[in-house]
Amino acid sequence: MNRTLRAARLATFAFFALNGFVMGMWIVHIPAVESRTGISHAVLGWLLLLLGGGAFAGMQMCGRLTDRLGARRVVPAGAVLCSAAVVAPALAADAPGLGVALFLLGFGNGCLDVSMNTHAVQVERAYGRPVMSAFHAVFSLGGVLAALVGARLITWGWDLGATLTAVAATGLLVTLVATPALLGPPRGAGKGAASTGEDSATDAAAAAGTTGEGARPAGRRRTPRRVWVLAVLALLLMLCEGVANDWSVLHLEDVLGAPAATAAFAYGAFATAMTVGRLLTDRVAARTGPVFVVRYGAAAAGAGLTVAALSPWVVPALVGWAVFGLGLSGCVPQFFSAAGHTDEDAAGAHVSRVAGLGYLGMLAGPAVIGPLTHLVPLNLALLLPVALCAVAAAAAGVLRPNPRPGDGAAVRPSSDGPAVGTSTA
């Protein structure tokens, strides 16, 4: 069992890294795609909404599909679809063709995102201690690798189509190697989604103790209110992350007058701190619980961004952006984990709610700050994410579990203190 779990964890790392790498290679080649199709920045901005729409659709569809068929089947299918779809933008010759390509890429990304996070929850449950944040850190590292590889291939003059085809081939190879190590569905998983008979009704009745809903066929269960709260909190904090992605560099350049090369360090400080924090968060969560991680992480993030926004000097602003990333780093993975552990048979559907709203928050961040800059200076507009961090810190108590009779507490990470049980690997 030890070897099986270790192999499953490594396979999950592989799919997270693959997802980050594929999407990172697309991002690196956006200028080349824009030039190839002859579209303007404005048109590209509208078309990118189709990428987000496709991702949201893929997340919602694959959430329930993962519960029905098991992550072992859906993860490789999502990985193949995401890897193959990255070639589509290179084939587009105009704006309509690129729109279709981006929707397909977003759909594949959404399918892989939800299914691999659901499998990560399954691995975490088997380990009996927090391991989710490290998976998200590896996703970030996949994006860093894409930036390095993509930049090198561009300097070598590789053709756009050849590059993205090579990315797709790499994705297929990783999928072939990693899939056999994925865990099979947990005992009884998928039963609720596929059945409407006596077993399904029994599962729904068991779930009623946590959700407050009456017994109903499991395939028609309402999403528990707690999961929706987790999803809203994910939206708020991923909106903050989106603000950092798109406005941190502009903040140093436009507000503090930093040179472009120096301003680029703002996002670098944020992204580096975010990755390092995610690599460390699982150990912190195992000792203190996710309530502590989110409460004090969101509070630290708010304090860091306040320093960055109000500082008249570049160096404290860079430190502030780094603290902002470090504070945010461990928060969102706790929401994914808590949603997945709420109901084992509906883990995929619940993770899809958190991932879907969170992704919308990531897209909304830049759009929310932009209009605010017409009313107040950019540094004051950045105080909005500070307020959202304060809301998340205040609401962190939602991560405390509602115990159910018969729960396998010994193999699930505690949500308000040290992990329960002993690691099996």
Side-chain angles (χ1 to χ4, degrees), residues 10-356:
L10 288 174
T12 310
F13 278 133
F15 283 110
F16 271 80
L18 173 63
N19 192 199
F21 180 72
V22 169
M23 297 309 295
M25 289 297 283
W26 147 247
I27 291 171
V28 168
H29 289 90
I30 285 178
V33 172
E34 185 181 43
S35 175
R36 179 188 180 93
T37 53
I39 60 175
S40 65
H41 294 328
V43 172
L44 176 64
W46 286 108
L47 292 178
L48 288 174
L49 293 178
L50 292 173
L51 179 73
F56 186 81
M59 289 173 182
Q60 302 315 304
M61 191 193 83
C62 279
R64 292 193 179 277
L65 194 63
T66 302
D67 293 331
R68 185 180 296 270
L69 300 179
R72 185 185 179 94
R73 295 181 180 178
V74 181
V75 169
V80 169
L81 180 57
C82 186
S83 300
V86 78
V87 180
L91 304 178
D94 52 24
L98 181 58
V100 173
L102 292 182
F103 185 87
L104 291 175
L105 178 59
F107 187 85
N109 177 50
C111 290
L112 178 56
D113 190 301
V114 164
S115 58
M116 71 185 186
N117 271 288
T118 304
H119 187 265
V121 169
Q122 190 177 340
V123 171
E124 185 176 64
R125 184 180 291 115
Y127 263 79
R129 60 181 172 84
V131 297
M132 178 67 78
S133 291
F135 294 133
H136 287 250
V138 169
F139 173 88
S140 299
L141 292 175
V144 172
L145 178 62
L148 296 175
V149 172
R152 174 55 62 186
L153 295 181
I154 289 171
T155 60
W156 285 347
W158 273 43
D159 176 71
L160 174 64
T163 298
L164 296 184
T165 299
V167 172
T170 301
L172 296 178
L173 180 61
V174 170
T175 302
L176 286 173
V177 172
T179 295
L182 296 177
L183 297 177
R187 187 175 302 172
K191 175 176 61 177
S195 169
T196 56
E198 180 179 352
D199 288 341
S200 178
T202 301
D203 287 346
T210 349
T211 65
E213 311 291 347
R216 59 175 57 84
R220 297 180 181 178
R221 288 181 198 165
R222 292 181 182 176
T223 301
R225 285 186 293 273
R226 177 173 182 260
V227 172
W228 284 119
V229 174
L230 293 170
V232 169
L233 292 176
L235 183 151
L236 297 183
L237 292 188
M238 289 182 74
L239 186 151
C240 295
E241 186 176 342
V243 168
N245 291 343
D246 285 15
W247 292 99
S248 56
V249 175
L250 287 173
H251 164 246
L252 256 69
E253 193 169 344
D254 293 352
V255 176
L256 300 182
T262 302
F265 282 107
Y267 176 70
F270 171 82
T272 301
M274 172 81 76
T275 303
V276 171
R278 284 178 171 174
L279 288 172
L280 300 175
T281 294
D282 287 331
R283 292 182 181 274
V284 176
R287 290 178 177 273
T288 64
V291 173
F292 179 95
V293 170
V294 172
R295 179 166 292 153
Y296 293 99
L305 186 56
T306 300
V307 170
L310 300 182
S311 172
W313 302 291
V314 170
V315 172
L318 288 173
V319 172
W321 281 111
V323 173
F324 185 50
L326 187 64
L328 287 181
S329 62
C331 294
V332 172
Q334 309 310 312
F335 302 142
F336 279 81
S337 179
H341 288 304
T342 297
D343 183 349
E344 184 174 346
D345 288 343
H350 293 167
V351 168
S352 74
R353 302 294 185 265
V354 174

